[in-house]
Protein backbone atom coordinates (compact mmCIF):
# COMPACT_ATOMS: atom_id res chain seq x y z
CA UNK A 1 0.00 0.00 0.00
CA UNK A 2 1.22 3.52 -0.77
CA UNK A 3 2.45 5.64 2.12
CA UNK A 4 3.33 9.26 2.86
CA UNK A 5 6.13 10.30 5.19
CA UNK A 6 5.58 13.49 7.22
CA UNK A 7 8.63 15.27 8.61
CA UNK A 8 8.72 18.03 11.24
CA UNK A 9 12.34 18.96 11.87
CA UNK A 10 13.66 21.10 14.72
CA UNK A 11 17.13 22.04 15.86
CA UNK A 12 17.72 18.94 17.98
CA UNK A 13 15.01 16.55 16.86
CA UNK A 14 13.27 15.19 13.78
CA UNK A 15 9.69 14.06 14.31
CA UNK A 16 8.20 11.80 11.67
CA UNK A 17 4.98 9.96 10.93
CA UNK A 18 4.04 7.48 8.24
CA UNK A 19 0.50 7.43 6.87
CA UNK A 20 -0.85 4.58 4.76
CA UNK A 21 -2.87 5.75 1.76
CA UNK A 22 -5.90 3.58 1.05
CA UNK A 23 -7.57 6.07 -1.27
CA UNK A 24 -7.67 9.73 -2.35
CA UNK A 25 -8.94 10.85 1.08
CA UNK A 26 -8.21 7.81 3.24
CA UNK A 27 -5.16 8.20 5.46
CA UNK A 28 -4.27 6.10 8.50
CA UNK A 29 -1.20 6.54 10.69
CA UNK A 30 1.08 3.53 10.75
CA UNK A 31 4.19 4.80 12.51
CA UNK A 32 4.92 7.80 14.74
CA UNK A 33 8.45 8.49 15.91
CA UNK A 34 11.30 10.88 16.39
CA UNK A 35 15.05 11.13 16.50
CA UNK A 36 15.96 13.46 19.36
CA UNK A 37 19.16 14.43 21.16
CA UNK A 38 20.79 15.14 17.80
CA UNK A 39 24.48 15.89 18.27
CA UNK A 40 24.38 15.10 21.99
CA UNK A 41 22.59 11.88 22.93
CA UNK A 42 20.84 10.69 19.75
CA UNK A 43 17.90 8.38 20.24
CA UNK A 44 15.44 6.85 17.76
CA UNK A 45 12.01 6.02 19.16
CA UNK A 46 8.79 5.05 17.40
CA UNK A 47 5.35 3.59 17.99
CA UNK A 48 3.08 1.61 15.73
CA UNK A 49 -0.55 2.23 14.81
CA UNK A 50 -1.68 0.65 18.10
CA UNK A 51 0.59 2.88 20.18
CA UNK A 52 2.97 0.09 21.12
CA UNK A 53 6.69 0.82 21.00
CA UNK A 54 8.48 -0.68 18.02
CA UNK A 55 11.97 0.78 18.42
CA UNK A 56 14.06 2.53 21.07
CA UNK A 57 17.64 2.78 19.88
CA UNK A 58 20.46 5.00 21.13
CA UNK A 59 23.45 6.15 19.11
CA UNK A 60 26.85 7.61 19.76
CA UNK A 61 27.05 11.37 19.49
CA UNK A 62 29.03 11.38 16.24
CA UNK A 63 26.70 8.83 14.61
CA UNK A 64 23.87 11.37 14.39
CA UNK A 65 25.53 14.81 14.42
CA UNK A 66 22.89 16.79 12.49
CA UNK A 67 19.32 16.90 11.17
CA UNK A 68 20.01 15.38 7.71
CA UNK A 69 21.78 12.41 9.33
CA UNK A 70 18.88 11.98 11.74
CA UNK A 71 16.41 11.90 8.86
CA UNK A 72 18.61 9.42 6.97
CA UNK A 73 18.79 7.23 10.10
CA UNK A 74 15.02 7.21 10.47
CA UNK A 75 14.49 6.62 6.76
CA UNK A 76 16.90 3.69 6.67
CA UNK A 77 15.13 2.10 9.66
CA UNK A 78 11.72 2.54 8.00
CA UNK A 79 12.92 0.93 4.77
CA UNK A 80 14.95 -1.90 6.22
CA UNK A 81 12.78 -2.86 9.19
CA UNK A 82 9.29 -2.06 7.89
CA UNK A 83 9.66 -2.03 4.10
CA UNK A 84 8.28 1.51 3.96
CA UNK A 85 9.14 3.35 0.77
CA UNK A 86 7.00 6.50 0.69
CA UNK A 87 5.53 7.91 -2.51
CA UNK A 88 6.05 11.44 -1.16
CA UNK A 89 7.32 13.40 1.82
CA UNK A 90 5.39 16.25 3.42
CA UNK A 91 7.27 18.85 5.45
CA UNK A 92 6.24 21.47 7.96
CA UNK A 93 7.83 24.74 6.89
CA UNK A 94 7.18 27.62 9.26
CA UNK A 95 7.40 30.56 6.85
CA UNK A 96 5.99 30.77 3.35
CA UNK A 97 6.73 34.48 3.04
CA UNK A 98 4.55 36.74 0.89
CA UNK A 99 4.52 34.31 -2.05
CA UNK A 100 3.36 30.93 -0.75
CA UNK A 101 -0.23 30.84 0.47
CA UNK A 102 -0.77 27.10 -0.04
CA UNK A 103 1.27 23.87 -0.02
CA UNK A 104 3.70 23.51 -2.90
CA UNK A 105 5.72 20.77 -4.60
CA UNK A 106 9.37 21.56 -3.92
CA UNK A 107 12.01 21.77 -6.62
CA UNK A 108 15.37 23.52 -6.65
CA UNK A 109 13.82 26.89 -7.48
CA UNK A 110 11.19 26.67 -4.73
CA UNK A 111 13.83 25.57 -2.25
CA UNK A 112 16.01 28.57 -3.12
CA UNK A 113 13.06 30.91 -2.56
CA UNK A 114 12.25 29.32 0.82
CA UNK A 115 15.83 29.90 1.90
CA UNK A 116 15.24 33.62 1.46
CA UNK A 117 12.74 33.49 4.33
CA UNK A 118 15.29 32.22 6.87
CA UNK A 119 15.69 35.72 8.39
CA UNK A 120 11.93 35.77 9.03
CA UNK A 121 12.09 32.57 11.09
CA UNK A 122 15.74 31.97 12.04
CA UNK A 123 14.90 29.49 14.78
CA UNK A 124 12.73 27.27 12.60
CA UNK A 125 13.26 27.75 8.86
CA UNK A 126 16.83 26.40 8.57
CA UNK A 127 15.86 23.21 10.41
CA UNK A 128 12.67 22.83 8.36
CA UNK A 129 14.67 23.12 5.15
CA UNK A 130 17.58 20.83 6.12
CA UNK A 131 15.72 17.55 5.49
CA UNK A 132 14.27 18.92 2.25
CA UNK A 133 17.77 19.66 1.01
CA UNK A 134 18.97 16.21 2.11
CA UNK A 135 16.19 14.42 0.22
CA UNK A 136 16.67 16.58 -2.87
CA UNK A 137 20.31 15.48 -2.90
CA UNK A 138 19.79 11.80 -2.06
CA UNK A 139 16.45 11.09 -3.73
CA UNK A 140 15.82 13.82 -6.32
CA UNK A 141 12.87 11.95 -7.89
CA UNK A 142 10.97 11.61 -4.59
CA UNK A 143 8.19 14.25 -4.47
CA UNK A 144 8.38 16.63 -1.52
CA UNK A 145 5.61 19.00 -0.47
CA UNK A 146 6.21 22.04 1.74
CA UNK A 147 3.25 22.90 3.99
CA UNK A 148 3.41 26.35 5.54
CA UNK A 149 2.42 27.51 9.02
CA UNK A 150 1.66 30.93 7.55
CA UNK A 151 -0.66 29.77 4.74
CA UNK A 152 -3.90 29.43 6.74
CA UNK A 153 -3.73 33.09 7.76
CA UNK A 154 -3.15 34.49 4.28
CA UNK A 155 -6.85 35.24 3.87
CA UNK A 156 -6.67 38.01 6.48
CA UNK A 157 -8.15 41.33 5.44
CA UNK A 158 -5.80 44.17 4.58
CA UNK A 159 -6.42 45.95 7.89
CA UNK A 160 -5.30 42.92 9.87
CA UNK A 161 -2.44 42.24 7.49
CA UNK A 162 -0.72 45.64 7.72
CA UNK A 163 1.60 47.34 10.13
CA UNK A 164 1.51 51.15 10.27
CA UNK A 165 4.67 51.46 8.19
CA UNK A 166 5.40 52.80 4.68
CA UNK A 167 3.67 50.78 1.96
CA UNK A 168 6.89 49.84 0.11
CA UNK A 169 7.93 47.81 3.15
CA UNK A 170 4.63 45.92 3.04
CA UNK A 171 5.20 45.18 -0.65
CA UNK A 172 8.62 43.85 0.27
CA UNK A 173 7.03 41.37 2.69
CA UNK A 174 6.99 43.20 6.02
CA UNK A 175 3.49 42.30 7.13
CA UNK A 176 1.57 40.30 9.73
CA UNK A 177 1.65 36.65 8.69
CA UNK A 178 0.53 34.62 11.70
CA UNK A 179 1.80 31.12 12.50
CA UNK A 180 0.67 27.69 13.79
CA UNK A 181 -1.58 27.67 10.74
CA UNK A 182 -1.45 23.91 10.24
CA UNK A 183 -2.75 23.43 13.77
CA UNK A 184 -5.51 26.01 13.34
CA UNK A 185 -6.51 24.56 9.98
CA UNK A 186 -6.88 21.12 11.54
CA UNK A 187 -8.99 22.50 14.39
CA UNK A 188 -11.15 24.41 11.90
CA UNK A 189 -11.84 21.15 10.08
CA UNK A 190 -12.65 19.40 13.35
CA UNK A 191 -15.13 22.01 14.60
CA UNK A 192 -18.15 20.76 12.59
CA UNK A 193 -17.56 17.25 13.96
CA UNK A 194 -17.46 18.56 17.52
CA UNK A 195 -20.62 20.65 17.16
CA UNK A 196 -22.73 20.92 14.02
CA UNK A 197 -22.92 24.72 13.93
CA UNK A 198 -19.66 25.57 15.69
CA UNK A 199 -17.67 26.07 12.51
CA UNK A 200 -19.87 28.99 11.50
CA UNK A 201 -19.53 30.77 14.83
CA UNK A 202 -16.97 33.14 16.37
CA UNK A 203 -14.20 31.01 17.84
CA UNK A 204 -10.83 31.69 19.46
CA UNK A 205 -8.38 28.80 19.27
CA UNK A 206 -5.48 28.87 21.73
CA UNK A 207 -2.49 26.84 20.53
CA UNK A 208 -0.57 26.66 23.79
CA UNK A 209 2.74 24.84 23.74
CA UNK A 210 6.40 25.77 23.83
CA UNK A 211 5.40 27.99 20.96
CA UNK A 212 2.11 29.71 21.76
CA UNK A 213 -0.38 31.80 19.85
CA UNK A 214 -4.11 32.34 19.43
CA UNK A 215 -6.24 32.64 16.33
CA UNK A 216 -9.67 34.16 15.75
CA UNK A 217 -11.87 32.04 13.48
CA UNK A 218 -15.09 33.16 11.86
CA UNK A 219 -16.86 30.71 9.60
CA UNK A 220 -13.86 28.39 9.91
CA UNK A 221 -11.46 30.97 8.48
CA UNK A 222 -8.65 32.85 10.20
CA UNK A 223 -9.44 36.55 10.56
CA UNK A 224 -6.79 37.55 13.12
CA UNK A 225 -3.81 36.07 14.97
CA UNK A 226 -1.64 37.06 17.92
CA UNK A 227 1.51 36.37 15.90
CA UNK A 228 2.75 38.68 13.17
CA UNK A 229 5.87 39.09 11.03
CA UNK A 230 7.96 36.54 12.92
CA UNK A 231 7.21 33.79 15.42
CA UNK A 232 8.06 36.14 18.30
CA UNK A 233 4.96 38.30 18.68
CA UNK A 234 1.82 37.90 20.77
CA UNK A 235 1.78 35.54 23.71
CA UNK A 236 4.85 34.82 25.87
CA UNK A 237 6.21 31.39 24.98
CA UNK A 238 8.66 28.87 26.34
CA UNK A 239 11.74 30.88 25.39
CA UNK A 240 10.27 33.75 23.31
CA UNK A 241 8.94 37.00 24.79
CA UNK A 242 5.76 37.55 22.80
CA UNK A 243 4.60 41.15 22.41
CA UNK A 244 7.56 43.47 22.86
CA UNK A 245 7.99 47.19 22.29
CA UNK A 246 10.43 47.63 19.34
CA UNK A 247 12.11 50.28 21.47
CA UNK A 248 13.46 47.48 23.65
CA UNK A 249 15.43 46.13 20.68
CA UNK A 250 16.77 49.60 19.90
CA UNK A 251 17.79 50.00 23.55
CA UNK A 252 19.58 46.65 23.56
CA UNK A 253 21.54 47.55 20.44
CA UNK A 254 22.27 51.22 21.12
CA UNK A 255 22.69 51.24 24.90
CA UNK A 256 23.72 47.69 25.77
CA UNK A 257 25.88 47.08 22.73
CA UNK A 258 24.21 43.84 21.67
CA UNK A 259 24.75 42.72 18.10
CA UNK A 260 21.94 41.50 15.86
CA UNK A 261 23.05 37.94 16.61
CA UNK A 262 22.97 38.66 20.34
CA UNK A 263 19.44 40.05 20.12
CA UNK A 264 18.28 37.10 18.03
CA UNK A 265 19.63 34.63 20.57
CA UNK A 266 18.05 36.56 23.44
CA UNK A 267 14.61 36.82 21.87
CA UNK A 268 14.40 33.27 20.57
CA UNK A 269 16.18 31.35 23.31
CA UNK A 270 16.37 33.24 26.62
CA UNK A 271 13.04 35.00 27.13
CA UNK A 272 9.47 33.86 27.73
CA UNK A 273 8.75 31.52 30.62
CA UNK A 274 12.43 30.63 30.83
CA UNK A 275 13.48 34.26 31.11
CA UNK A 276 10.76 35.23 33.57
CA UNK A 277 11.31 32.27 35.88
CA UNK A 278 15.06 31.96 35.55
CA UNK A 279 14.41 28.24 35.91
CA UNK A 280 12.91 26.50 32.89
CA UNK A 281 10.55 26.86 29.97
CA UNK A 282 8.71 23.62 30.83
CA UNK A 283 5.25 24.41 32.21
CA UNK A 284 5.09 21.06 34.01
CA UNK A 285 8.19 21.93 36.03
CA UNK A 286 6.96 25.46 36.67
CA UNK A 287 3.62 24.18 37.98
CA UNK A 288 5.43 21.77 40.30
CA UNK A 289 7.86 24.39 41.60
CA UNK A 290 7.53 26.30 44.88
CA UNK A 291 9.74 29.09 43.58
CA UNK A 292 7.95 32.46 43.43
CA UNK A 293 9.58 33.17 40.08
CA UNK A 294 7.92 30.11 38.60
CA UNK A 295 4.55 31.29 39.90
CA UNK A 296 5.14 34.75 38.44
CA UNK A 297 6.02 33.33 35.02
CA UNK A 298 2.75 31.36 34.91
CA UNK A 299 0.80 34.38 36.19
CA UNK A 300 2.24 36.46 33.36
CA UNK A 301 1.44 33.75 30.79
CA UNK A 302 -2.21 33.59 31.89
CA UNK A 303 -2.51 37.39 32.09
CA UNK A 304 -1.27 37.91 28.55
CA UNK A 305 -3.54 35.18 27.20
CA UNK A 306 -6.49 36.96 28.80
CA UNK A 307 -5.47 40.31 27.26
CA UNK A 308 -5.05 38.86 23.78
CA UNK A 309 -8.32 36.96 24.07
CA UNK A 310 -10.01 40.33 24.52
CA UNK A 311 -8.30 41.64 21.39
CA UNK A 312 -9.40 38.66 19.32
CA UNK A 313 -12.94 38.82 20.68
CA UNK A 314 -13.02 42.45 19.53
CA UNK A 315 -11.82 41.41 16.06
CA UNK A 316 -14.66 38.86 15.93
CA UNK A 317 -17.28 41.23 17.29
CA UNK A 318 -18.04 38.84 20.13
CA UNK A 319 -17.22 35.30 21.12
CA UNK A 320 -19.14 32.03 20.93
CA UNK A 321 -16.45 29.47 21.75
CA UNK A 322 -12.88 29.13 23.02
CA UNK A 323 -10.76 26.09 22.13
CA UNK A 324 -7.67 24.84 23.99
CA UNK A 325 -5.17 22.83 21.96
CA UNK A 326 -1.47 21.78 21.77
CA UNK A 327 0.66 20.46 24.64
CA UNK A 328 -0.27 22.88 27.42
CA UNK A 329 -3.82 23.46 26.25
CA UNK A 330 -4.55 19.75 25.99
CA UNK A 331 -2.84 18.63 29.20
CA UNK A 332 -2.76 21.34 31.88
CA UNK A 333 -5.98 21.22 33.91
CA UNK A 334 -4.87 24.06 36.17
CA UNK A 335 -3.89 26.48 33.40
CA UNK A 336 -7.12 25.79 31.53
CA UNK A 337 -9.01 26.78 34.69
CA UNK A 338 -6.98 29.93 35.19
CA UNK A 339 -7.38 30.98 31.57
CA UNK A 340 -11.11 30.24 31.67
CA UNK A 341 -11.36 32.51 34.71
CA UNK A 342 -9.92 35.39 32.67
CA UNK A 343 -12.76 34.87 30.17
CA UNK A 344 -15.46 35.25 32.80
CA UNK A 345 -16.24 38.80 31.63
CA UNK A 346 -17.11 37.32 28.23
CA UNK A 347 -19.54 34.91 29.83
CA UNK A 348 -17.34 31.80 30.02
CA UNK A 349 -18.18 29.38 32.86
CA UNK A 350 -15.91 26.40 33.40
CA UNK A 351 -17.25 23.00 34.44
CA UNK A 352 -14.61 21.97 36.99
CA UNK A 353 -15.41 18.26 36.84
CA UNK A 354 -15.40 18.16 33.04
CA UNK A 355 -12.11 20.05 32.97
CA UNK A 356 -10.49 17.70 35.49
CA UNK A 357 -11.72 14.69 33.52
CA UNK A 358 -10.22 16.06 30.30
CA UNK A 359 -13.50 16.03 28.39
CA UNK A 360 -13.94 17.74 25.05
CA UNK A 361 -16.63 20.16 26.27
CA UNK A 362 -15.52 21.72 29.55
CA UNK A 363 -17.97 24.61 29.96
CA UNK A 364 -21.13 24.63 32.07
CA UNK A 365 -24.57 24.55 30.43
CA UNK A 366 -25.15 28.18 31.46
CA UNK A 367 -21.89 29.38 29.88
CA UNK A 368 -22.39 31.96 27.11
CA UNK A 369 -19.01 30.96 25.69
CA UNK A 370 -18.53 27.25 25.02
CA UNK A 371 -15.14 25.95 26.18
CA UNK A 372 -13.55 23.00 24.38
CA UNK A 373 -10.38 20.91 24.47
CA UNK A 374 -9.60 19.61 20.98
CA UNK A 375 -6.28 17.81 20.36
CA UNK A 376 -4.49 19.13 17.30
CA UNK A 377 -2.87 17.02 14.60
CA UNK A 378 -0.52 19.03 12.41
CA UNK A 379 1.04 15.89 10.96
CA UNK A 380 -2.27 14.60 9.62
CA UNK A 381 -2.91 18.04 8.13
CA UNK A 382 0.46 17.88 6.37
CA UNK A 383 -0.29 14.37 5.09
CA UNK A 384 -3.64 15.55 3.71
CA UNK A 385 -2.01 18.47 1.92
CA UNK A 386 0.76 16.28 0.56
CA UNK A 387 -1.75 13.79 -0.78
CA UNK A 388 -3.82 16.55 -2.39
CA UNK A 389 -0.80 18.14 -4.11
CA UNK A 390 0.43 14.75 -5.30
CA UNK A 391 -3.03 13.76 -6.57
CA UNK A 392 -2.94 16.68 -8.96
CA UNK A 393 -0.08 14.97 -10.73
CA UNK A 394 -1.13 11.29 -10.69
CA UNK A 395 -3.65 8.82 -9.21
CA UNK A 396 -3.02 7.89 -5.57
CA UNK A 397 -3.91 4.97 -3.35
CA UNK A 398 -4.46 1.25 -3.40
CA UNK A 399 -2.14 -1.70 -3.58
Amino acid sequence: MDSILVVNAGSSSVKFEVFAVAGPADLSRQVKGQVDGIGTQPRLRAHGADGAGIVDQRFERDQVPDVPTALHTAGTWLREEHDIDPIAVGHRVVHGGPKYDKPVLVDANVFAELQQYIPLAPLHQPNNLAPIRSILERFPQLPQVACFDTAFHRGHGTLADHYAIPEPLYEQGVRRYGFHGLSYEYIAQRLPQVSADLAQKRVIVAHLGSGASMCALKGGRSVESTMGFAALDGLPMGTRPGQLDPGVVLFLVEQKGLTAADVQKLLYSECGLKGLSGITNDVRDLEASNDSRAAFALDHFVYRIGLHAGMLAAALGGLDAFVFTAGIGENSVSLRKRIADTLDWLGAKLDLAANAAGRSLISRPDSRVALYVIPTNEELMIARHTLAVLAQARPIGGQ
Side-chain angles (χ1 to χ4, degrees):
M1 181 177 289
D2 289 339
S3 63
I4 287 175
L5 173 64
V6 170
V7 175
N8 185 350
S11 60
S12 62
S13 69
V14 174
K15 297 178 183 178
F16 62 90
E17 294 194 20
V18 177
F19 291 86
V21 182
D26 189 356
L27 290 161
S28 59
R29 188 175 69 194
Q30 300 300 298
V31 178
K32 178 179 181 178
Q34 66 180 28
V35 180
D36 54 24
I38 295 171
T40 55
Q41 296 178 318
R43 184 180 183 184
L44 167 63
R45 290 176 286 177
H47 297 81
D50 60 357
I54 52 179
V55 68
D56 189 345
Q57 183 177 354
R58 298 179 184 273
F59 301 87
E60 294 298 324
R61 177 176 180 173
D62 59 355
Q63 289 181 288
V64 187
D66 51 33
V67 167
T69 306
L71 179 64
H72 179 67
T73 300
T76 300
W77 173 76
L78 288 169
R79 286 192 303 272
E80 294 181 353
E81 300 297 327
H82 297 275
D83 195 30
I84 292 174
D85 189 15
I87 58 173
V89 183
H91 299 266
R92 177 193 179 215
V93 178
V94 165
H95 220 301
K99 179 174 182 178
Y100 294 105
D101 60 358
K102 59 185 177 181
V104 62
L105 197 64
V106 180
D107 58 19
N109 291 332
V110 170
F111 182 82
E113 289 180 330
L114 296 181
Q115 285 185 299
Q116 297 177 15
Y117 304 142
I118 288 176
L120 307 187
L123 184 68
H124 300 88
Q125 198 86 348
N127 299 310
N128 297 158
L129 297 182
I132 298 178
R133 182 200 296 274
S134 178
I135 293 174
L136 282 172
E137 294 172 349
R138 292 174 182 266
F139 307 100
Q141 302 307 313
L142 179 61
Q144 298 188 81
V145 176
C147 302
F148 304 103
D149 257 342
T150 50
F152 185 63
H153 304 292
R154 291 300 302 280
H156 284 181
T158 54
L159 290 177
D161 208 25
H162 274 68
Y163 290 109
I165 57 176
E167 187 65 15
L169 288 173
Y170 175 85
E171 295 298 331
Q172 294 164 26
V174 183
R175 59 187 71 176
R176 299 189 71 251
Y177 291 98
F179 296 88
H180 294 131
L182 291 163
S183 176
Y184 294 129
E185 186 177 11
Y186 176 81
I187 297 298
Q189 292 185 7
R190 283 278 293 127
L191 291 179
Q193 302 165 26
V194 172
S195 176
D197 62 345
L198 189 57
Q200 299 308 313
K201 292 189 174 182
R202 300 164 299 182
V203 181
I204 293 175
V205 183
H207 178 104
L208 306 178
S210 180
S213 70
M214 296 195 295
C215 175
L217 299 178
K218 181 180 288 186
R221 297 175 61 86
S222 171
V223 299
E224 185 58 272
S225 170
T226 57
M227 279 187 168
F229 176 70
L232 286 169
D233 200 8
L235 306 180
M237 295 165 253
T239 61
R240 287 168 271 168
Q243 186 178 17
L244 186 73
D245 186 330
V248 174
V249 176
L250 296 177
F251 172 80
L252 293 173
V253 173
E254 295 177 354
Q255 302 300 319
K256 294 298 182 181
L258 271 64
T259 65
D262 293 333
V263 173
Q264 178 175 299
K265 180 181 178 183
L266 172 70
L267 297 183
Y268 278 98
S269 304
E270 298 173 6
C271 293
L273 297 178
K274 178 182 177 182
L276 282 172
S277 70
I279 302 171
T280 179
N281 64 313
D282 193 313
V283 164
R284 293 165 297 187
D285 293 336
L286 293 174
E287 289 182 311
S289 175
N290 293 320
D291 193 310
S292 61
R293 297 175 300 167
F296 179 77
L298 294 176
D299 288 345
H300 183 82
F301 184 58
V302 171
Y303 173 67
R304 301 303 296 186
I305 290 172
L307 288 181
H308 281 83
M311 177 192 75
L312 296 181
L316 291 168
L319 186 62
D320 299 307
F322 188 97
V323 176
F324 295 92
T325 196
I328 299 169
E330 294 170 25
N331 296 297
S332 179
V333 172
S334 64
L335 282 183
R336 285 199 302 264
K337 179 187 182 304
R338 295 180 62 184
I339 292 166
D341 288 344
T342 71
L343 306 176
D344 178 76
W345 68 279
L346 287 165
K349 306 294 182 184
L350 182 69
D351 183 325
L352 295 176
N355 182 46
R359 295 175 189 162
S360 178
L361 178 63
I362 60 171
S363 52
R364 292 181 352 210
D366 62 337
S367 180
R368 295 199 307 272
V369 174
L371 303 172
Y372 289 93
V373 180
I374 304 178
T376 192
N377 195 331
E378 295 163 294
E379 289 75 18
L380 178 57
M381 201 71 248
I382 294 170
R384 288 173 178 171
H385 282 311
T386 301
L387 188 59
V389 170
L390 204 60
Q392 295 175 4
R394 62 185 178 90
I396 301 297
Q399 300 290 334

